[in-house]
Amino acid sequence: MGLLFVEVLPRDATGGAAVLQCRRCRVDAASVAAILSRDFHGRLGRAYLFDRVVNISLGPNEDRYLRTGRHTVNDIYCICCQEILGWRYAHWSIT
Ligand SMILES: [Zn+2]
């Protein structure tokens, strides 16, 4: 395995809550400022919609039927511990 480069996101003046981390290994995953929607639902329940995340790797493209129709998505894994963090739209089609 090669070197693992981990991005550390900037903290706010209070030093903490502005960054979301992997629940298993605590590596930074996203800034709270990157949340586009808190009113989003995934197959496992309530979720956030982000416009940028870091320290992730992608699974293969998969077609899934979501509440809004069929979409091509990728699961998102923590780059450090491989915990599944969520999924992303690879692209979608209107059906
Ligand atoms: Zn992790």
Side-chain angles (χ1 to χ4, degrees), residues 22 24-27 78 80-83:
C22 172
R24 182 189 286 175
C25 73
R26 313 291 293 170
V27 71
C78 172
C80 292
C81 71
Q82 303 304 310
E83 175 86 354

Side-chain angles (χ1 to χ4, degrees), residues 23-65:
R23 67 181 172 186
R24 182 189 286 175
C25 73
R26 313 291 293 170
V27 71
D28 290 355
S31 167
V32 170
I35 296 174
L36 295 176
S37 174
R38 295 172 189 266
D39 186 25
F40 199 77
H41 289 83
R43 64 183 164 169
L44 300 177
R46 187 170 165 241
Y48 292 157
L49 181 64
F50 294 91
D51 70 349
R52 181 175 185 265
V53 293
V54 298
N55 302 321
I56 56 124
S57 61
L58 297 175
N61 286 358
E62 295 179 27
D63 288 335
R64 292 187 189 153
Y65 287 91

